[in-house]
Amino acid sequence: MRKLCTVLAASFFVLLSIGKVVAQTPTPQTLVRAGRMLDPRTGNALSPAAVLIENGKIKEVGSPTQVQAHAPGVKTIDLGSATLLPGLIDSHTHLLIDIIVPPEAEIVRHSNGEFAPGLLLAIVESPTKRVLLGAQLAREDLESGFTTIRNLGHSGIDGDAALRDAINAGRVPGPRILASGRKLIALGSYIQGLNPAVAQAIIQQEFLPVDSPDRARDAVRQNVLYNVDLVKVTVGGDISPAELTAVVEEAHRQHLKVAVHAIDTPSIQTAIDAGADSIEHGNQVTDEQLKQMREKGIFLDLTPTWYHSLFMKITEPSIVMSPGFHSSKASSDARGQKRYDDLVQRVLKSGVKFAAGSDMCWFYPGKTRGQASAATLVNLRAAGMPPLDLIRAITVNAAEMLGWQERIGSVEPGKFADLVAVAGDPIADITELERVRFVMKDGQVVRNDLTSD
Ligand SMILES: [Zn+2]
């Protein structure tokens, strides 16, 4: 019996070793071929197309005959007539929060009542629980084709940085993450009226309040302690030019870009004057400001989140609204949509550099986070953005805004092998981006609904 156990143990060990060897030997090369490949930079399509991948990076791009000749016998993934694109980039999202919009009566009795109750719950519940939510939403984003995302706050002290590291270490599946850690804010934004005994403790779990240039510099350093990739600041007429300039100076000294949430015209001006790298949302930007942004090379990160009545879509399945509340929401949606159409046209005319983000942070019944984010970004088409510009906003332009243009954003030799494929032509029907059929990140297949092998 003892001998048998030894034999069994030995065989088990051998099996384990074999398993290990197999798992550790990566396929040296993979070839992905498809009916077409769209290059967002030029707008040209290569048909048919092949991409040779080696060690997670793109080695060669060209016609299948040409590329195959350089890699005889290579393992091939044939995606049939599908269209290949670079992996998608969501430049503004919040993977560690999934706000459930409360009922009307609850909304009207709080300041920032749609968002604040859910935010407070997320802050005071366990950060462990929150980061596991992040792991789920990260996987869902990746499955919908987002191979890179920029997380701009609402992730506790270090939740997004920890999630990024876990994904990079292969512990959980997800996109590449650029983490901003805690948002820099002026006291009183987002949440007000907290119990004084615990107010500071609650705020500090989520935000770094700024009330002087010195505190602004210190806030950047606090985030550096958690190894952030960039700094996010919210300006709502409440951060002074001197404070924002201090943030930008300190962040740039630490080689970090600064993304500034600014919606109203004066806040956008503060961001431009302080030398922000990107302005998030920017809804009330003037033509003169777009010109200044173009001259300074500042990106506008468009967030068409509320276009097409997101509020109704996420609330109507579960919330009974009074007729008055419903009609006031519907008419403000319609006005907002018109203003957004105008914004998109002015941005396109101005020549300013732009990217796009979903700003998704809401629980969307019936959709995964990835599906909700894709549907949101596709709204830019309805707002008048041509399909190729929309695809650029979430690939090549976004890569440049993130400062990662050498790594991602296009299918070129030397870049990470991050690819997606859709069944049809995304230029003819941009909603194809809501139905990504194939996802590869780092040369590893995440999803393939196009071939059975
Ligand atoms: Zn946001």
Side-chain angles (χ1 to χ4, degrees), residues 92-94 152 154 183 190 232 261 281 303 359-361:
H92 184 139
T93 192
H94 304 282
L152 295 182
H154 300 304
K183 266 185 196 180
Y190 296 95
K232 165 79 182 289
H261 160 122
H281 318 298
T303 54
D359 200 11
M360 194 44 64
C361 59

Side-chain angles (χ1 to χ4, degrees), residues 101-116:
V101 177
E104 176 186 344
E106 193 70 17
I107 291 172
V108 297
R109 74 171 61 163
H110 298 281
S111 81
N112 193 14
E114 286 161 17
F115 188 64

Side-chain angles (χ1 to χ4, degrees), residues 91-94 150-153 178-180 182-185 190 220 223 229-235 244 247-248 251-252 256-262 267 271-272 275-281 298-301 401-402:
S91 298
H92 184 139
T93 192
H94 304 282
R150 201 168 60 150
N151 200 77
L152 295 182
L178 282 93
S180 68
R182 281 180 282 178
K183 266 185 196 180
L184 279 55
I185 62 161
Y190 296 95
V220 173
N223 267 336
D229 300 293
L230 78 154
V231 171
K232 165 79 182 289
V233 197
T234 292
V235 180
L244 193 60
V247 170
V248 173
H252 286 177
L256 301 173
K257 289 185 186 289
V258 180
V260 179
H261 160 122
S267 298
I272 295 171
D277 297 288
S278 68
I279 291 176
E280 307 300 310
H281 318 298
I298 299 173
F299 267 90
L300 180 61
D301 195 16
M401 182 172 73
L402 272 46

